[in-house]
Amino acid sequence: MDYQRLFSEIAIELSEIDDLGNVASYIPELQNVDPKKFGIHLSTIDRQDYSFGDAHEKFSIQSIAKVLALALAFELEDDQLWDRVGVEPSGSPFNSLVQLEYEKGIPRNPFINAGALVICDILVSRLNNPQQEFLEFTRKISGNSQIDYCSRIAESERLTSFRNAAHLNLMKSYGNIQNDIEAVLDFYCHLCSIAMTCKELAQGYLFLAANGVNPITNERVLRGSQTKRINAIMQLCGFYDEAGEFAFKVGLPGKSGVGGGIIAIYPGHYSIAVWSPKLNKKGNSYRGMQILEFFTTRTKSSIF
Ligand code: GLN
């Protein structure tokens, strides 16, 4: 398969369709990105790499980082983790508070904000310096010491995090947050501010396509069975109330972020990262989903 040519064809076809949606603005710093950015990077488990467009430019990965937070918490807690967070799709927006009260402070899954905040609480309890140790974990599993937080974005989210603070307060009232709310919120905002390129994302998350071992670093991140579980949660919950649509159109486990990035995994084969900042109404990259729909259809590489 000539992937390079396929990427060019996808770019041409998509340029003929309007890029609907809007760049995220509820985190003020995210508005400053050029809405026309368009990047793709494919990494295969047999060590081939293909880049297209703005694949080497860093952007805010936002909720895509929740996958790595889950991986680290899963490594530390193993199956005890599931006492505090579920594995069911929420069918609700990523920042919805509604279910949390009905379900007594136990979030549906680790990828909605409530669930990711519980994961952050666990990491704050477990690690001496969560911010530093999480960054080291991310750098180690990616084999890339260039990955870092963006303090501008972290600060911008921190100053407008009223809804995430509400999640934490509600969960604390049910006993599902153990640490100081400010400390957990600060760690969460840093986590979401991580800046990576499409290439760094595809290579860093390749362990999810390779049974838990990153083929680039030969580093085992998780056991095979844990990797299977993370992919399953990505499939069911990675796009919140649009997870069905993503499965329907793309057919791979994936995770989006409000910075306009998406990572998708084809277990046993490849990881692919795309970036296009304009978001649809559900907060997922409008064009990013189209790129992946074209890609898996043309390459016949969906898990279904
Ligand atoms: N940091 C963002 C928030 O909490 C992450 C949301 C996302 O990327 N879907 O709102």
Side-chain angles (χ1 to χ4, degrees), residues 26-27 30 61-64 66 94-95 111 113 157 161 164 188-189 192-193 240 255-259 282-284:
Y26 76 100
I27 298 173
L30 289 180
I61 72 167
Q62 291 294 321
S63 285
I64 304 173
K66 291 171 181 172
F94 64 87
N95 57 2
F111 293 153
N113 284 12
E157 179 163 19
S161 253
N164 285 326
Y188 174 82
C189 292
C192 292
S193 81
Y240 323 109
K255 183 75 207 78
S256 64
V258 289
K282 310 280 185 177
N284 300 316

mmCIF file of all heavy atoms in Angstrom, residues 26-27 30 61-64 66 94-95 111 113 157 161 164 188-189 192-193 240 255-259 282-284, ligand 1:
data_model
loop_
_atom_site.group_PDB
_atom_site.id
_atom_site.type_symbol
_atom_site.label_atom_id
_atom_site.label_comp_id
_atom_site.label_asym_id
_atom_site.label_seq_id
_atom_site.Cartn_x
_atom_site.Cartn_y
_atom_site.Cartn_z
ATOM 1 N N TYR A 26 -13.382 27.253 24.973
ATOM 2 C CA TYR A 26 -13.683 27.315 26.409
ATOM 3 C C TYR A 26 -12.415 27.267 27.250
ATOM 4 O O TYR A 26 -12.411 27.662 28.405
ATOM 5 C CB TYR A 26 -14.693 26.216 26.803
ATOM 6 C CG TYR A 26 -14.101 24.831 26.893
ATOM 7 C CD1 TYR A 26 -13.742 24.267 28.113
ATOM 8 C CD2 TYR A 26 -13.856 24.091 25.734
ATOM 9 C CE1 TYR A 26 -13.192 22.997 28.179
ATOM 10 C CE2 TYR A 26 -13.309 22.834 25.795
ATOM 11 C CZ TYR A 26 -12.977 22.288 27.018
ATOM 12 O OH TYR A 26 -12.417 21.043 27.072
ATOM 13 N N ILE A 27 -11.305 26.782 26.649
ATOM 14 C CA ILE A 27 -9.980 26.965 27.259
ATOM 15 C C ILE A 27 -9.343 28.067 26.392
ATOM 16 O O ILE A 27 -8.990 27.816 25.230
ATOM 17 C CB ILE A 27 -9.154 25.665 27.205
ATOM 18 C CG1 ILE A 27 -9.862 24.552 28.002
ATOM 19 C CG2 ILE A 27 -7.741 25.899 27.725
ATOM 20 C CD1 ILE A 27 -9.221 23.174 27.877
ATOM 21 N N LEU A 30 -6.549 27.726 23.730
ATOM 22 C CA LEU A 30 -6.713 26.805 22.584
ATOM 23 C C LEU A 30 -7.224 27.526 21.339
ATOM 24 O O LEU A 30 -7.103 27.025 20.228
ATOM 25 C CB LEU A 30 -7.661 25.652 22.934
ATOM 26 C CG LEU A 30 -7.139 24.597 23.908
ATOM 27 C CD1 LEU A 30 -8.204 23.519 24.136
ATOM 28 C CD2 LEU A 30 -5.857 23.933 23.416
ATOM 29 N N ILE A 61 -2.494 17.943 23.237
ATOM 30 C CA ILE A 61 -3.171 16.648 23.019
ATOM 31 C C ILE A 61 -4.420 16.492 23.896
ATOM 32 O O ILE A 61 -5.244 15.617 23.656
ATOM 33 C CB ILE A 61 -2.217 15.438 23.182
ATOM 34 C CG1 ILE A 61 -1.828 15.171 24.628
ATOM 35 C CG2 ILE A 61 -1.009 15.576 22.272
ATOM 36 C CD1 ILE A 61 -1.149 13.809 24.835
ATOM 37 N N GLN A 62 -4.551 17.341 24.913
ATOM 38 C CA GLN A 62 -5.761 17.335 25.759
ATOM 39 C C GLN A 62 -6.177 15.920 26.194
ATOM 40 O O GLN A 62 -5.360 15.206 26.726
ATOM 41 C CB GLN A 62 -6.888 18.109 25.055
ATOM 42 C CG GLN A 62 -6.586 19.618 24.975
ATOM 43 C CD GLN A 62 -6.564 20.280 26.328
ATOM 44 O OE1 GLN A 62 -7.354 19.991 27.211
ATOM 45 N NE2 GLN A 62 -5.610 21.179 26.558
ATOM 46 N N SER A 63 -7.410 15.517 25.904
ATOM 47 C CA SER A 63 -7.901 14.250 26.474
ATOM 48 C C SER A 63 -7.188 13.006 25.958
ATOM 49 O O SER A 63 -7.393 11.927 26.510
ATOM 50 C CB SER A 63 -9.396 14.093 26.212
ATOM 51 O OG SER A 63 -10.116 14.933 27.070
ATOM 52 N N ILE A 64 -6.389 13.141 24.910
ATOM 53 C CA ILE A 64 -5.649 11.962 24.438
ATOM 54 C C ILE A 64 -4.680 11.508 25.536
ATOM 55 O O ILE A 64 -4.373 10.321 25.660
ATOM 56 C CB ILE A 64 -4.911 12.260 23.107
ATOM 57 C CG1 ILE A 64 -5.909 12.748 22.052
ATOM 58 C CG2 ILE A 64 -4.164 11.042 22.601
ATOM 59 C CD1 ILE A 64 -5.257 13.221 20.751
ATOM 60 N N LYS A 66 -5.375 11.250 28.552
ATOM 61 C CA LYS A 66 -6.080 10.418 29.552
ATOM 62 C C LYS A 66 -5.747 8.933 29.363
ATOM 63 O O LYS A 66 -5.813 8.154 30.304
ATOM 64 C CB LYS A 66 -7.599 10.614 29.421
ATOM 65 C CG LYS A 66 -8.086 12.008 29.846
ATOM 66 C CD LYS A 66 -9.565 12.176 29.478
ATOM 67 C CE LYS A 66 -10.109 13.544 29.856
ATOM 68 N NZ LYS A 66 -11.484 13.742 29.326
ATOM 69 N N PHE A 94 -18.353 14.826 27.352
ATOM 70 C CA PHE A 94 -17.183 14.517 28.187
ATOM 71 C C PHE A 94 -17.200 15.228 29.535
ATOM 72 O O PHE A 94 -16.611 14.756 30.496
ATOM 73 C CB PHE A 94 -15.879 14.820 27.438
ATOM 74 C CG PHE A 94 -15.656 16.267 27.076
ATOM 75 C CD1 PHE A 94 -15.057 17.135 27.980
ATOM 76 C CD2 PHE A 94 -16.022 16.763 25.838
ATOM 77 C CE1 PHE A 94 -14.831 18.462 27.656
ATOM 78 C CE2 PHE A 94 -15.811 18.090 25.493
ATOM 79 C CZ PHE A 94 -15.226 18.944 26.410
ATOM 80 N N ASN A 95 -17.894 16.372 29.596
ATOM 81 C CA ASN A 95 -17.841 17.154 30.842
ATOM 82 C C ASN A 95 -19.186 17.159 31.570
ATOM 83 O O ASN A 95 -19.436 18.013 32.403
ATOM 84 C CB ASN A 95 -17.388 18.575 30.537
ATOM 85 C CG ASN A 95 -18.289 19.251 29.518
ATOM 86 O OD1 ASN A 95 -19.277 18.660 29.076
ATOM 87 N ND2 ASN A 95 -17.959 20.475 29.163
ATOM 88 N N PHE A 111 -12.376 7.949 30.595
ATOM 89 C CA PHE A 111 -12.108 8.948 29.553
ATOM 90 C C PHE A 111 -13.019 10.167 29.610
ATOM 91 O O PHE A 111 -12.689 11.202 29.053
ATOM 92 C CB PHE A 111 -12.151 8.297 28.166
ATOM 93 C CG PHE A 111 -11.024 7.315 27.954
ATOM 94 C CD1 PHE A 111 -11.159 6.259 27.068
ATOM 95 C CD2 PHE A 111 -9.826 7.440 28.642
ATOM 96 C CE1 PHE A 111 -10.121 5.352 26.862
ATOM 97 C CE2 PHE A 111 -8.772 6.539 28.469
ATOM 98 C CZ PHE A 111 -8.926 5.494 27.569
ATOM 99 N N ASN A 113 -14.372 13.351 31.712
ATOM 100 C CA ASN A 113 -13.551 14.130 32.644
ATOM 101 C C ASN A 113 -13.611 13.587 34.070
ATOM 102 O O ASN A 113 -12.588 13.509 34.757
ATOM 103 C CB ASN A 113 -13.967 15.597 32.621
ATOM 104 C CG ASN A 113 -13.458 16.297 31.377
ATOM 105 O OD1 ASN A 113 -12.999 15.648 30.440
ATOM 106 N ND2 ASN A 113 -13.537 17.606 31.361
ATOM 107 N N GLU A 157 -6.273 26.624 31.283
ATOM 108 C CA GLU A 157 -7.352 25.709 31.686
ATOM 109 C C GLU A 157 -7.615 25.815 33.194
ATOM 110 O O GLU A 157 -8.769 25.806 33.634
ATOM 111 C CB GLU A 157 -7.025 24.253 31.314
ATOM 112 C CG GLU A 157 -8.159 23.334 31.777
ATOM 113 C CD GLU A 157 -8.201 21.962 31.146
ATOM 114 O OE1 GLU A 157 -7.174 21.517 30.591
ATOM 115 O OE2 GLU A 157 -9.277 21.330 31.218
ATOM 116 N N SER A 161 -11.380 26.284 35.066
ATOM 117 C CA SER A 161 -11.751 24.886 35.348
ATOM 118 C C SER A 161 -12.897 24.728 36.340
ATOM 119 O O SER A 161 -12.874 23.824 37.179
ATOM 120 C CB SER A 161 -10.536 24.158 35.910
ATOM 121 O OG SER A 161 -10.021 23.289 34.954
ATOM 122 N N ASN A 164 -14.654 21.248 36.067
ATOM 123 C CA ASN A 164 -13.848 20.133 36.585
ATOM 124 C C ASN A 164 -13.755 20.206 38.115
ATOM 125 O O ASN A 164 -13.743 19.177 38.789
ATOM 126 C CB ASN A 164 -12.464 20.127 35.931
ATOM 127 C CG ASN A 164 -12.530 19.618 34.503
ATOM 128 O OD1 ASN A 164 -13.334 18.739 34.197
ATOM 129 N ND2 ASN A 164 -11.720 20.171 33.618
ATOM 130 N N TYR A 188 -4.296 17.484 36.731
ATOM 131 C CA TYR A 188 -5.140 17.206 35.557
ATOM 132 C C TYR A 188 -4.894 18.233 34.443
ATOM 133 O O TYR A 188 -4.770 17.873 33.268
ATOM 134 C CB TYR A 188 -6.620 17.216 35.984
ATOM 135 C CG TYR A 188 -7.590 17.087 34.831
ATOM 136 C CD1 TYR A 188 -7.894 15.844 34.286
ATOM 137 C CD2 TYR A 188 -8.204 18.216 34.274
ATOM 138 C CE1 TYR A 188 -8.778 15.722 33.211
ATOM 139 C CE2 TYR A 188 -9.087 18.106 33.205
ATOM 140 C CZ TYR A 188 -9.366 16.860 32.679
ATOM 141 O OH TYR A 188 -10.235 16.741 31.614
ATOM 142 N N CYS A 189 -4.830 19.515 34.814
ATOM 143 C CA CYS A 189 -4.641 20.561 33.788
ATOM 144 C C CYS A 189 -3.267 20.418 33.132
ATOM 145 O O CYS A 189 -3.115 20.668 31.936
ATOM 146 C CB CYS A 189 -4.806 21.955 34.376
ATOM 147 S SG CYS A 189 -6.512 22.270 34.880
ATOM 148 N N CYS A 192 -3.435 17.440 30.628
ATOM 149 C CA CYS A 192 -4.136 17.788 29.386
ATOM 150 C C CYS A 192 -3.320 18.745 28.517
ATOM 151 O O CYS A 192 -3.593 18.882 27.330
ATOM 152 C CB CYS A 192 -5.492 18.424 29.691
ATOM 153 S SG CYS A 192 -6.665 17.277 30.418
ATOM 154 N N SER A 193 -2.335 19.410 29.127
ATOM 155 C CA SER A 193 -1.586 20.432 28.368
ATOM 156 C C SER A 193 -0.407 19.846 27.603
ATOM 157 O O SER A 193 0.298 20.585 26.908
ATOM 158 C CB SER A 193 -1.080 21.521 29.316
ATOM 159 O OG SER A 193 0.117 21.089 29.967
ATOM 160 N N TYR A 240 -16.809 9.666 23.760
ATOM 161 C CA TYR A 240 -17.940 10.086 24.593
ATOM 162 C C TYR A 240 -19.272 9.709 23.940
ATOM 163 O O TYR A 240 -19.473 8.563 23.578
ATOM 164 C CB TYR A 240 -17.856 11.599 24.897
ATOM 165 C CG TYR A 240 -16.447 12.067 25.117
ATOM 166 C CD1 TYR A 240 -15.783 12.875 24.200
ATOM 167 C CD2 TYR A 240 -15.750 11.643 26.244
ATOM 168 C CE1 TYR A 240 -14.470 13.277 24.402
ATOM 169 C CE2 TYR A 240 -14.438 12.033 26.456
ATOM 170 C CZ TYR A 240 -13.810 12.852 25.518
ATOM 171 O OH TYR A 240 -12.520 13.222 25.720
ATOM 172 N N LYS A 255 -9.002 7.701 20.517
ATOM 173 C CA LYS A 255 -9.227 8.716 21.559
ATOM 174 C C LYS A 255 -9.012 10.088 20.940
ATOM 175 O O LYS A 255 -8.010 10.307 20.255
ATOM 176 C CB LYS A 255 -8.245 8.504 22.728
ATOM 177 C CG LYS A 255 -8.461 9.462 23.879
ATOM 178 C CD LYS A 255 -9.675 9.090 24.699
ATOM 179 C CE LYS A 255 -10.312 10.291 25.414
ATOM 180 N NZ LYS A 255 -11.146 11.141 24.534
ATOM 181 N N SER A 256 -9.925 10.986 21.254
ATOM 182 C CA SER A 256 -9.836 12.351 20.726
ATOM 183 C C SER A 256 -9.452 13.323 21.834
ATOM 184 O O SER A 256 -9.514 12.988 23.018
ATOM 185 C CB SER A 256 -11.206 12.752 20.196
ATOM 186 O OG SER A 256 -12.118 12.775 21.286
ATOM 187 N N GLY A 257 -9.091 14.537 21.424
ATOM 188 C CA GLY A 257 -8.847 15.619 22.386
ATOM 189 C C GLY A 257 -9.370 16.921 21.809
ATOM 190 O O GLY A 257 -9.452 17.060 20.575
ATOM 191 N N VAL A 258 -9.702 17.877 22.681
ATOM 192 C CA VAL A 258 -10.265 19.136 22.173
ATOM 193 C C VAL A 258 -9.225 20.035 21.505
ATOM 194 O O VAL A 258 -9.563 21.097 20.988
ATOM 195 C CB VAL A 258 -11.054 19.931 23.258
ATOM 196 C CG1 VAL A 258 -12.363 19.244 23.601
ATOM 197 C CG2 VAL A 258 -10.210 20.189 24.486
ATOM 198 N N GLY A 259 -7.972 19.610 21.483
ATOM 199 C CA GLY A 259 -6.957 20.301 20.682
ATOM 200 C C GLY A 259 -7.085 19.914 19.210
ATOM 201 O O GLY A 259 -6.343 20.426 18.361
ATOM 202 N N LYS A 282 -19.752 17.560 19.262
ATOM 203 C CA LYS A 282 -19.443 16.649 20.373
ATOM 204 C C LYS A 282 -18.026 16.868 20.904
ATOM 205 O O LYS A 282 -17.567 16.121 21.770
ATOM 206 C CB LYS A 282 -19.572 15.188 19.920
ATOM 207 C CG LYS A 282 -20.872 14.856 19.214
ATOM 208 C CD LYS A 282 -21.994 14.650 20.198
ATOM 209 C CE LYS A 282 -23.253 14.209 19.457
ATOM 210 N NZ LYS A 282 -24.367 13.931 20.314
ATOM 211 N N GLY A 283 -17.300 17.820 20.324
ATOM 212 C CA GLY A 283 -15.948 18.129 20.808
ATOM 213 C C GLY A 283 -14.869 17.250 20.204
ATOM 214 O O GLY A 283 -13.758 17.159 20.731
ATOM 215 N N ASN A 284 -15.194 16.588 19.074
ATOM 216 C CA ASN A 284 -14.191 15.744 18.402
ATOM 217 C C ASN A 284 -13.820 16.390 17.064
ATOM 218 O O ASN A 284 -14.650 17.073 16.451
ATOM 219 C CB ASN A 284 -14.786 14.345 18.170
ATOM 220 C CG ASN A 284 -15.191 13.681 19.482
ATOM 221 O OD1 ASN A 284 -14.442 13.720 20.461
ATOM 222 N ND2 ASN A 284 -16.384 13.089 19.526
HETATM 223 N N1 GLN B 1 -8.791 19.501 29.327
HETATM 224 C C1 GLN B 1 -10.044 19.300 28.690
HETATM 225 C C2 GLN B 1 -11.205 19.470 29.667
HETATM 226 O O1 GLN B 1 -11.145 19.072 30.770
HETATM 227 C C3 GLN B 1 -10.070 17.940 28.059
HETATM 228 C C4 GLN B 1 -11.357 17.650 27.305
HETATM 229 C C5 GLN B 1 -11.157 16.927 26.001
HETATM 230 O O2 GLN B 1 -10.108 16.959 25.356
HETATM 231 N N2 GLN B 1 -12.214 16.315 25.551
HETATM 232 O O3 GLN B 1 -12.221 20.016 29.351
#
